[in-house]
Amino acid sequence: MLGTVQNQSVSPVFVGRTRELTRLTSALARAHAGEPQALVIGGEAGVGKTRLVEEFLAAAQDGPATVTAVGACVEIGADGLPFAPVATILRALHRRLGDELVAAAAGSEAELARLLPGLGGTDGPDPLADQRDEHGRARLFELTSRLLERLSEERTLVVALEDLHWADRSTRELLGYLLRSLSRGRLVVLATYRSDDIHRRHPLRPFLAELDRMRSVARLELSRFTRAEVRAQVAGILDSEPSPSLVDRVFGRSDGNPFFVEELACSITQGCRTGLSDSLRDLLLVRVETLPETAQRVARVVAEGGSAVEYRLLEAVAGLGEDELIEALRSAVGAKILLPTDDGDGYRFRHSLVREAVGDDLLPGERSRINRRYARALETDPGLVPADELPARLASYWYHAHEPAKALPAVLAASVEARRRHAYAEQHRLLERALELWDDTPADVREELRPVDYVEVFPPCGCDPGSKPLQYMDLLAETTVAARLSADREGAYEVTKRALRLLERSGSNPLRAAWFWIQRSRLMVAMGRGDGWAEIAEAQELVRGLPPSPVHAEVLESAAGWDMMHDPGPDSIATAERAIELARLVGAEETELHARVTLGILLADAGDADAGIAELEAARERAAAARYGSLTVNTDANLAALLEAVGRSEEAIAVARRGVESATRHGLRDGVTFASANQAESLLALGRWDEAAEVAARGRENTNHALYLGWAATLLAHVAVRRGEYDRAEAEVAAARDHLGPQDHQPQNTLPLRHLTIAVAAGRGRFLEARAAVRAALEAGFPPAFHRYVWPMLHTAAAVEADALGLPGAEAGRAEMLALIRRAAGRLPRLSPVWAAHALFVEAELLRAEGCTGPEPWAAAEEAYAALDRPYPLALVRLRHAEALLALHEPGARDHATALLRRACEVAESLGAVPLRDAVRLLARRGRLALEEPEAAAAPEAAGEQEPFGLTAREREVLRRVAAGYTNRRIAEELFISPKTASVHVSNILAKLGVSGRGEAAALAHRLRLFAGQPG
């Protein structure tokens, strides 16, 4: 009787989930038509995610030409087994498709063997030859995506990844890559996760947020059963209609969770009259404790073995005879506690909640003993588990067995396997575990460890792998790089601090110390905690006088790069050239190419733009050929910046976009933002502001790198200030300052922020504040090679003085300020057309600030910008050119001015440049010019009709200037009328207002708030 009940504890009837199953079936139909589908299914533990997927897969397999494969994330090791579900899926597909999969993987066998070791392959690179290749990770992702696309060309392929809440970070990143990149093929990708396990800091939470932004991914959330659905489920379990009281009891205690419904229904029908314990664990253990003792013993062994345990391994660990083991397994399977694995080679718990409960019920000593037996069994016969899982499982078993002498070598071996798979986050976690074990491991065991067997020792450390044992410092170096490659900068920084403290105490090995100082320098900049120079200087002192080495070349390259960003000059070029020479001498190709990128930028900044661009293009070609993904992206971003600096914006956008695509392929989030920032800068210059803002905003979503976040905020602030959104601009400037930090004063960061400070103050009408900001910038000085940021600042600075001409208090200090601006502009190069146009613009503004109103300077600036694709500065120049023409009072000047203003207004409106648009409209009204905008033309008429004193639109303009204290002559100049006409207007105004003089008129205007502000 008990056996019958147990065998039916899972309802044979699939209850509910009609809507969800329809969604899945619909996705399958679209996949049949060649449109890849992705669905992520969430729900609390026990709510039926696995049952839903099983039902769907069973139905899908009955359809035409459909192949399914399932892989579950494994809760084992330091942070899950890297790529475990993907490897399981590929193994299943290999079994099902055989030679067809081999053919689809042709040419990529060696790379894909990282995930599917049985694939083999002798062509292509040795998968162990590039263990340090962070760029190979992108190739692995791309080849996996391509393999699935090829396999789904002739059939519909359904793959499911279960238990994403246990997924290692590498699996999450590979899944994210697949979901972003798959664009063709008859493919359905399913993934499930426990929503109740996703706490606020769970690593899956940001991944799910990223999926929500993908329109190609559908999310399903499974809810608990209703009472009616619980009744149907219990009826299926009992194979009879349950009584209402039983349904009420089960529904009340389970709260509609399907798995708990099963457990409760089974327990109640077994005669549990007193009810179940309030403890969830006790609820889950109820049926386990009804098993025979040997079956319970086997269940405890399986619980500690991982998500699934191979039969032969279980046989070696359980300590039972074969017949006794089979009988125990039969009992556990019959009770639906355990299930055979899909490949029929092992056993797993039917539900992970039960496995967790059984594992939690183990005594500490019992747990250690079971793990020890697992580890010894694998050491005796490594073939008991798949070869690619052996290192991680041995590391986990020995660690939980609390035997450091065995655990440390196993953990190090597992870290090598993680690195081999490009699973850097998992490698980092394992290396942290190795550091934890180090002091507890006997010295003789540590001395037996050799880097050639476990951790690759960097050439910087000066250790000969063939003769010297693994040193703790080399382990720290490995951990630093693993942390950096996994984007854990804080973790990497802490390890460098620990290493440098130890090296300082020992006073030996300057090469090791120099290497750690360089790592620390880069991390300081990345986290916004400093400019990194003190660390570079320390490294330079350490390598001074030592023989050539890769570390020496890296130190020189870092020094040249720092100079390039902070204080470029002839010495910087010499340093870059020495770095190149030394890197070539010691065979450090990647360091050499980094130095060549630096040299190219320095040459361009020194005035030889063509030579600099050629140097970067050559370096980029070599980097791409050598498959240095990060360096290729970095070179594209710098090349784009260089092209933009000389005004070749369209080319810059194409190069930056190439960099974004490359960074995306390689999974380099910082690279995406870096290249995006340069792309956005060129889009801004070309007047494509909406695109620029979108690219910048999207780029900063992909990184936590302080420098890149600061750049994105700076660009968004530029867009905001040009659109007159000063609150937003100030917020973005504040964000940029926070990200960039006060410690690192790179001109490429400080100059745009100084410019924005001036522009926001000017836009707010705070002239004295704007002038003070200009003075501070001029007194700080402009280092050479940063003219791309200085020219726009000088535009704004000169315009501030010109716009304030005639304002009370603005004349004091004006001559000095104009002289300072002119002197700064005179020191800047003008070798490219865009630089020459900037120079003409600045000079024209300076002349306007000095009261020179002739149109010639503006005509020259307009001609220069018209030859370029720079709509915004061209529109500004046309506004000022039109203003100068109107002041001539010559035949034809008004028509020319009208044409200029119409074109400027068109650009302002298309860009959303509100301040520029308003300035154009104001000038048109003052000059009585038509901009072909009926609404704007009618506005003065309507205002005149509503004026309580009967003032006309022109009289209101005159009154504004009277209230500002203007003389009749000044009013005439402003409104392009004669002084006599201005006098007539003033007389009419005094009469209409009923006042005796200009002072009373001004006072009345202010008292009645007739105007929002002063003219201009």
Side-chain angles (χ1 to χ4, degrees):
M1 181 68 179
L2 179 62
T4 302
V5 172
Q6 288 177 329
N7 283 331
Q8 293 181 352
S9 63
V10 179
S11 173
V13 179
F14 183 55
V15 176
R17 309 304 183 207
T18 303
R19 181 181 63 84
E20 292 84 358
L21 197 56
T22 300
R23 288 280 300 276
L24 294 174
T25 305
S26 176
L28 182 63
R30 289 195 292 272
H32 281 319
E35 182 184 348
Q37 301 293 303
L39 301 99
V40 178
I41 303 170
E44 67 179 8
V47 82
K49 302 179 293 296
T50 299
R51 181 69 185 271
L52 173 64
V53 171
E54 288 173 350
E55 293 288 335
F56 168 66
L57 294 179
Q61 286 178 318
D62 294 336
T66 300
V67 174
T68 64
V70 180
C73 299
V74 179
E75 188 185 22
I76 191 172
D79 189 22
L81 185 63
F83 302 118
V86 180
T88 302
I89 286 170
L90 292 181
R91 279 198 293 267
L93 292 175
H94 195 194
R95 288 194 300 269
R96 293 284 302 275
L97 302 177
D99 292 341
E100 194 172 345
L101 183 142
V102 174
S108 308
E109 297 93 340
E111 286 286 349
L112 289 172
R114 299 177 190 275
L115 300 180
L116 185 58
L119 190 61
T122 56
D123 299 331
D126 177 2
L128 291 176
D130 59 348
Q131 295 178 30
R132 180 62 55 202
D133 179 16
E134 61 187 282
H135 324 305
R137 178 183 181 85
R139 292 195 299 276
L140 179 63
F141 286 11
E142 173 64 21
L143 291 173
T144 305
S145 174
R146 195 180 306 165
L147 176 66
L148 293 177
E149 285 184 345
R150 288 175 177 173
L151 292 176
S152 61
E153 286 176 354
E154 302 298 329
R155 70 181 57 74
T156 299
L157 188 63
V158 182
V159 297
L161 291 83
E162 292 202 282
D163 299 324
L164 274 186
H165 51 279
W166 286 332
D168 57 286
R169 178 170 154 186
S170 295
T171 293
R172 294 193 299 270
E173 291 176 350
L174 174 54
L175 176 60
Y177 181 90
L178 291 174
L179 298 181
R180 285 191 301 269
S181 62
L182 288 172
S183 58
R184 62 181 184 275
R186 297 162 60 185
L187 178 67
V188 178
V189 179
L190 302 178
T192 68
Y193 71 95
R194 276 192 205 169
S195 56
D196 51 334
D197 273 6
I198 311 303
H199 52 77
R200 187 172 60 86
R201 301 186 65 182
H202 194 288
L204 188 63
R205 183 177 288 276
F207 178 74
L208 294 174
E210 180 182 346
L211 296 186
D212 285 338
R213 292 192 291 269
M214 297 184 193
R215 287 178 292 180
S216 59
V217 180
R219 290 276 299 274
L220 297 178
E221 288 290 333
L222 300 191
S223 59
R224 296 177 178 182
F225 278 171
T226 63
R227 185 185 184 284
E229 290 170 330
V230 167
R231 184 197 59 76
Q233 184 185 5
V234 174
I237 293 171
L238 301 180
D239 196 23
S240 63
E241 188 66 26
S243 66
S245 62
L246 177 60
V247 174
D248 289 341
R249 187 177 180 188
V250 171
F251 181 66
R253 299 300 300 276
S254 69
D255 204 18
N257 182 291
F259 178 67
F260 297 160
V261 169
E262 293 176 358
E263 297 298 308
L264 286 161
C266 181
S267 297
I268 291 172
T269 55
Q270 288 179 33
C272 183
R273 303 301 180 188
T274 59
L276 295 170
S277 166
D278 290 334
S279 164
L280 173 61
R281 187 186 70 177
D282 289 346
L283 166 62
L284 297 175
L285 290 176
V286 164
R287 284 196 300 120
V288 176
E289 292 171 350
T290 64
L291 295 174
E293 179 57 36
T294 54
Q296 291 187 49
R297 176 179 173 184
V298 169
R300 289 193 289 271
V301 171
V302 174
E304 200 60 22
S307 297
V309 179
E310 296 76 2
Y311 172 75
R312 290 181 57 219
L313 176 60
L314 181 59
E315 185 180 24
V317 174
L320 299 172
E322 184 174 12
D323 290 343
E324 192 177 10
L325 175 61
I326 290 175
E327 186 60 34
L329 287 169
R330 185 183 302 279
S331 296
V333 171
K336 299 299 182 184
I337 303 298
L338 299 180
L339 292 177
T341 55
D342 293 339
D343 58 10
D345 188 44
Y347 293 87
R348 64 179 177 84
F349 276 84
R350 186 175 68 84
H351 202 286
S352 57
L353 282 175
V354 179
R355 180 175 69 83
E356 293 167 20
V358 172
D360 289 344
D361 199 45
L362 293 173
L363 299 172
E366 186 180 18
R367 171 168 290 172
S368 298
R369 180 175 59 83
I370 293 175
N371 276 279
R372 188 178 305 111
R373 295 178 67 175
Y374 269 116
R376 287 174 176 169
L378 290 182
E379 283 191 339
T380 302
D381 185 359
L384 293 174
V385 299
D388 58 319
E389 294 185 13
L390 178 63
R393 292 177 69 170
L394 264 176
S396 178
Y397 294 147
W398 278 125
Y399 178 79
H400 288 106
H402 302 295
E403 293 198 16
K406 289 286 192 178
L408 179 60
V411 167
L412 291 173
S415 76
V416 171
E417 177 63 20
R419 184 185 64 199
R420 191 185 72 85
R421 289 187 168 201
H422 306 308
Y424 299 115
E426 290 66 48
Q427 180 198 7
H428 178 210
R429 292 286 300 277
L430 286 161
L431 291 172
E432 286 185 322
R433 180 165 286 181
L435 292 172
E436 171 194 335
L437 292 166
W438 186 268
D439 289 338
D440 294 330
T441 303
D444 60 327
V445 174
R446 297 200 303 258
E447 290 170 2
E448 287 299 318
L449 299 174
R450 293 186 176 275
V452 71
D453 298 325
Y454 298 105
V455 181
E456 179 187 65
V457 177
F458 302 165
C461 298
C463 180
D464 177 5
S467 62
K468 292 187 178 181
L470 174 69
Q471 299 295 322
Y472 187 67
M473 209 55 57
D474 300 311
L475 180 56
L476 290 175
E478 183 82 5
T479 308
T480 299
V481 174
R484 179 176 61 81
L485 294 180
S486 65
D488 184 359
R489 297 187 185 88
E490 188 66 47
Y493 180 71
E494 290 301 319
V495 175
T496 62
K497 286 171 60 178
R498 185 193 310 185
L500 289 168
R501 283 196 300 268
L502 292 173
L503 287 165
E504 184 179 4
R505 287 202 296 267
S506 66
S508 62
N509 238 307
L511 280 179
R512 274 189 173 93
W515 184 86
F516 278 109
W517 278 115
I518 291 299
Q519 305 310 308
R520 181 167 172 172
S521 170
R522 293 169 180 166
L523 292 165
M524 291 281 285
V525 173
M527 296 187 296
R529 296 184 182 177
D531 63 6
W533 175 248
E535 291 77 12
I536 293 173
E538 189 74 31
Q540 285 182 299
E541 286 301 317
L542 287 165
V543 300
R544 197 180 307 280
L546 296 179
S549 69
V551 172
H552 203 154
E554 191 172 0
V555 170
L556 286 177
E557 183 272 321
S558 298
W562 192 95
D563 283 348
M564 175 191 72
M565 301 304 296
H566 295 83
D567 190 20
D571 290 345
S572 310
I573 294 176
T575 303
E577 290 173 339
R578 288 201 307 274
I580 292 169
E581 180 181 357
L582 188 54
R584 292 180 62 184
L585 179 65
V586 299
E589 183 185 33
E590 194 166 4
T591 301
E592 177 199 344
L593 293 178
H594 273 293
R596 288 193 176 279
V597 170
T598 299
L599 177 62
I601 296 171
L602 289 168
L603 290 173
D605 289 340
D608 195 347
D610 291 339
I613 290 171
E615 187 73 52
L616 260 67
E617 288 175 336
R620 200 269 177 196
E621 185 176 350
R622 285 181 58 187
R627 299 198 297 188
Y628 297 138
S630 180
L631 178 56
T632 302
V633 172
N634 179 61
T635 307
D636 273 335
N638 281 291
L639 181 56
L642 205 52
L643 291 167
E644 175 56 36
V646 296
R648 293 161 60 176
S649 299
E650 289 290 357
E651 294 176 66
I653 288 174
V655 171
R657 186 177 293 119
R658 181 178 66 186
V660 170
E661 293 169 355
S662 180
T664 302
R665 278 199 313 275
H666 288 79
L668 302 172
R669 292 193 171 192
D670 288 347
V672 170
T673 307
F674 189 8
S676 294
N678 288 285
Q679 181 184 0
E681 186 177 11
S682 295
L683 289 168
L684 182 71
L686 293 176
R688 294 157 63 178
W689 294 359
D690 289 337
E691 291 180 69
E694 181 182 353
V695 168
R698 187 170 61 244
R700 70 177 175 182
E701 292 175 354
N702 289 292
T703 187
N704 61 357
H705 196 300
L707 190 62
Y708 305 150
L709 291 170
W711 288 349
T714 299
L715 186 134
L716 291 169
H718 276 297
V719 175
V721 78
R722 294 181 185 188
R723 286 180 163 165
E725 300 168 353
Y726 300 116
D727 289 343
R728 181 177 177 186
E730 288 182 329
E732 293 289 359
V733 168
R737 293 189 194 281
D738 287 343
H739 291 310
L740 298 173
Q743 297 88 1
D744 189 359
H745 299 290
Q746 294 185 30
Q748 66 173 345
N749 301 331
T750 58
L751 291 175
L753 290 176
R754 287 183 181 276
H755 180 198
L756 286 165
T757 301
I758 298 166
V760 171
R764 297 282 199 193
R766 301 195 290 256
F767 165 71
L768 293 179
E769 182 181 326
R771 176 184 273 184
V774 172
R775 180 180 293 278
L778 294 172
E779 290 177 350
F782 307 125
F786 291 97
H787 43 270
R788 62 184 296 190
Y789 305 110
V790 178
W791 278 120
M793 184 193 299
L794 296 182
H795 295 169
T796 304
V800 166
E801 294 296 332
D803 290 342
L805 185 65
L807 287 182
E811 296 305 315
R814 176 187 301 280
E816 179 190 4
M817 290 298 301
L818 295 180
L820 289 172
I821 295 170
R822 186 170 273 117
R823 189 179 306 122
R827 294 171 179 167
L828 297 179
R830 311 179 186 199
L831 301 177
S832 74
V834 71
W835 300 347
H838 291 332
L840 290 170
F841 192 174
V842 172
E843 181 58 27
E845 284 287 18
L846 290 172
L847 291 172
R848 182 167 74 97
E850 292 169 342
C852 301
T853 58
E856 293 80 7
W858 294 110
E862 182 190 359
E863 183 179 1
Y865 278 117
L868 306 170
D869 197 357
R870 292 288 188 277
Y872 181 67
L874 178 58
L876 286 172
V877 166
R878 283 174 170 160
L879 166 66
R880 298 307 173 197
H881 190 188
E883 187 177 39
L885 287 170
L886 288 174
L888 293 177
H889 302 289
E890 293 180 354
R894 290 177 60 81
D895 291 341
H896 189 184
T898 300
L900 291 172
L901 290 178
R902 285 175 178 172
R903 298 173 74 177
C905 191
E906 181 181 349
V907 169
E909 290 182 339
S910 67
L911 295 177
V914 174
L916 173 59
R917 182 203 65 190
D918 291 348
V920 169
R921 290 179 175 176
L922 177 60
L923 180 60
R925 286 201 303 270
R926 286 167 50 199
R928 294 180 177 272
L929 305 178
L931 292 177
E932 298 182 347
E933 296 179 355
E935 298 83 2
E941 302 290 338
E945 292 173 5
Q946 297 172 8
E947 168 54 49
F949 295 99
L951 298 177
T952 66
R954 176 62 82 181
E955 287 170 347
R956 285 177 60 84
E957 292 178 345
V958 172
L959 178 56
R960 282 175 62 92
R961 285 150 180 83
V962 169
Y966 288 8
T967 65
N968 286 350
R969 180 170 296 280
R970 175 74 185 280
I971 293 171
E973 292 173 354
E974 282 277 325
L975 300 180
F976 307 106
I977 56 179
S978 68
K980 183 176 180 180
T981 302
S983 177
V984 171
H985 281 310
V986 170
S987 298
N988 291 337
I989 291 168
L990 297 179
K992 290 182 178 182
L993 295 180
V995 295
S996 60
R998 300 166 73 97
E1000 289 185 38
L1004 180 63
H1006 284 296
R1007 187 170 65 252
L1008 297 180
R1009 300 190 178 187
L1010 298 180
F1011 310 114
Q1014 296 298 321

